[in-house]
């Protein structure tokens, strides 16, 4: 429950940051649009204020994206741990080993109860819920960024194409309103600021792609594991996963429900996604690997070296 609350709280926090940044970008996007349509430059103080906002926003944006990367990495680590737990399900746990020291039959009864437990399915269901929430947030942010990038790119191209006319207008009819040097400086400052805006959008789109790609391959792994666990613990009348319960995972769940989701080719796609993720978020990728290593090692270390009782 605590882990669920931490996850939901972090999602809410990042969503709020992205929402505030969307609103913060509106004045600069509108400024670029007006400059492109009317061949006019914004006031220098106004433009400099937006340039400063871009500089201030960059580390904030990176911090929010890194927070999402941590959630994606933790999701991947949790899936890996659940896979290892299932693979080792027939091995006694530490507590079962302790019970086995006193009574082997009691240890076996506890193991059988664990094998029939629905808890693993509930845990995997929670991971699917988190994957759906992460996918929804990332897809929504990516779509907004792509739309804004398309509009702003078109505006910037138009603005640059009319740069000579803008400089002439700044100089005035007799070329006395301002010097060529000053008119050119002001115009190029606008170009640089608008380009920095677009560069930020491009970088954020790339980050969304990297995170979505990793999340997608990890979710395929999760869905395959869910089906395997479901088949192992299913009871008469149990129903498997309902794809419409996770609308943001439609691509993966549709392939899952159609029986098209297999491990064939998944390792290659996962390796590519993990490599791109590690290049963009090396610290988070290293943390993911460390979590998996600690948990897997913990599962394998015996608590007791005494042999279980015979009965």
């Amino acid at each position: 429950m605590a882990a669920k609350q931490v996850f939901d709280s972090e999602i809410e926090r990042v969503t709020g940051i992205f929402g505030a940044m969307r609103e913060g970008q509106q004045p600069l996007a509108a400024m670029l649009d007006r400059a492109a349509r009317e061949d006019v430059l914004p006031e220098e103080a106004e433009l400099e204020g937006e340039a400063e906002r871009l500089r201030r926003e960059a580390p904030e944006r990176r911090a929010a994206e890194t927070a999402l990367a941590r959630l994606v990495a933790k999701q991947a680590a949790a899936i890996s741990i659940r896979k290892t737990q299932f693979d080792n399900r027939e091995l006694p746990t530490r507590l079962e080993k302790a019970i086995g020291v006193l009574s082997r039959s009691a240890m076996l009864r506890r193991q059988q109860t664990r094998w029939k437990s629905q808890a693993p399915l509930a845990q995997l269901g929670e991971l699917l819920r988190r994957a759906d929430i992460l996918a929804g947030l990332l897809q929504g942010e990516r779509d907004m960024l792509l739309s804004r990038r398309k509009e702003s790119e078109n505006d910037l191209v138009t603005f640059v194409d009319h740069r000579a006319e803008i400089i002439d207008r700044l100089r005035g009819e007799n070329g006395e309103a301002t010097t060529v040097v000053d008119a050119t400086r002001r115009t190029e400052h606008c170009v640089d600021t608008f380009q920095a805006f677009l560069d930020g959008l491009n970088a954020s789109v790339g980050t969304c792609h990297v995170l979505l790609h990793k999340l997608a391959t990890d979710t395929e792994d999760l869905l395959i594991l869910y089906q395997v666990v479901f088949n192992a613990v299913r009871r008469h009348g149990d129903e498997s996963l309902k794809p419409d319960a996770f609308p943001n995972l439609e691509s993966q769940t549709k392939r899952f429900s159609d029986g098209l989701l297999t491990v064939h080719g998944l390792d290659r796609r996962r390796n590519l996604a993990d490599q791109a993720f590690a290049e963009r978020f090396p610290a988070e990728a290293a943390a993911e690997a460390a979590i998996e290593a600690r948990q897997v090692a913990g599962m394998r270390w015996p608590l007791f070296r005494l042999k279980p009782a015979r009965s």
Side-chain angles (χ1 to χ4, degrees):
M1 180 62 71
K4 178 179 178 180
Q5 290 175 345
V6 169
F7 174 86
D8 291 346
S9 176
E10 189 68 348
I11 287 291
E12 183 178 356
R13 185 182 71 85
V14 173
T15 300
I17 292 173
F18 282 171
M21 288 184 175
R22 291 182 190 183
E23 293 182 9
Q25 292 170 354
Q26 290 286 8
L28 184 53
M31 189 183 299
L32 173 55
D33 178 64
R34 181 170 179 267
R37 285 186 295 103
E38 302 179 10
D39 291 348
V40 296
L41 298 185
E43 294 295 329
E44 288 195 84
E46 185 181 10
L47 183 66
E48 187 52 43
E50 286 303 307
E52 175 59 29
R53 184 192 60 77
L54 286 178
R55 289 190 289 269
R56 187 175 61 253
E57 181 185 276
E60 295 176 2
R61 177 85 193 188
R62 179 66 179 177
E65 291 171 344
T66 300
L68 279 181
R70 288 194 201 98
L71 293 179
V72 171
K74 288 179 180 178
Q75 175 83 353
I79 295 169
S80 178
I81 290 166
R82 298 304 174 201
K83 285 174 63 178
T84 301
Q85 287 176 336
F86 183 76
D87 290 342
N88 295 338
R89 65 192 180 280
E90 295 185 3
L91 298 177
T93 65
R94 290 183 174 188
L95 179 57
E96 288 163 355
K97 282 192 174 195
I99 294 173
V101 172
L102 302 175
S103 171
R104 181 175 178 82
S105 59
M107 181 186 75
L108 293 176
R109 285 196 300 272
R110 190 175 183 89
Q111 281 184 297
Q112 290 169 356
T113 299
R114 174 167 57 84
W115 294 339
K116 296 176 182 179
S117 171
Q118 299 291 306
L121 276 182
Q123 293 164 346
L124 295 178
E126 170 60 16
L127 289 179
L128 281 169
R129 184 189 76 89
R130 296 183 189 186
D132 186 66
I133 291 173
L134 281 167
L137 173 55
L138 287 166
Q139 288 164 4
E141 185 66 11
R142 180 194 59 184
D143 292 347
M144 184 282 299
L145 291 167
L146 286 172
S147 176
R148 178 156 284 169
R149 183 182 71 176
K150 181 179 179 180
E151 294 172 359
S152 296
E153 278 180 340
N154 291 336
D155 287 339
L156 183 56
V157 169
T158 301
F159 179 78
V160 170
D161 286 345
H162 294 172
R163 184 164 39 184
E165 293 93 321
I166 293 171
I167 292 174
D168 287 342
R169 182 175 298 178
L170 287 173
R171 295 189 64 205
E173 292 184 3
N174 300 320
E176 297 177 353
T178 186
T179 65
V180 173
V181 172
D182 190 53
T184 302
R185 177 193 61 78
R186 287 187 58 194
T187 304
E188 291 306 316
H189 183 43
C190 284
V191 172
D192 290 344
T193 301
F194 295 150
Q195 186 61 60
F197 176 45
L198 276 172
D199 289 345
L201 293 177
N202 282 326
S204 295
V205 168
T207 295
C208 287
H209 283 322
V210 167
L211 294 178
L212 280 169
H213 191 195
K214 177 168 175 56
L215 183 63
T217 55
D218 290 338
T219 300
E220 287 189 25
D221 226 1
L222 175 58
L223 287 166
I224 293 170
L225 177 61
Y226 185 95
Q227 188 61 56
V228 171
V229 175
F230 174 81
N231 291 338
V233 303
R234 72 191 312 175
R235 298 169 300 191
H236 180 69
D238 283 351
E239 294 185 13
S240 187
L241 190 71
K242 293 183 173 61
D244 57 358
F246 306 102
N248 298 309
L249 303 177
E250 182 179 2
S251 174
Q252 293 93 343
T253 53
K254 186 177 188 307
R255 290 174 62 200
F256 172 78
S257 60
D258 291 343
L260 301 177
L261 203 60
T262 67
V263 295
H264 180 69
L266 180 56
D267 282 345
R268 179 178 178 277
R269 295 197 304 277
R270 188 194 305 111
N271 289 338
L272 290 173
D274 287 349
Q275 181 180 351
F277 180 80
E279 289 174 356
R280 188 155 299 216
F281 298 102
E284 286 64 38
E288 173 193 341
I291 291 172
E292 293 176 11
R294 281 199 306 272
Q295 293 292 336
V296 171
M299 293 172 194
R300 291 176 178 168
W301 291 342
L303 181 62
F304 293 96
R305 296 189 179 276
L306 297 175
K307 294 181 179 180
R310 294 183 179 275
S311 61

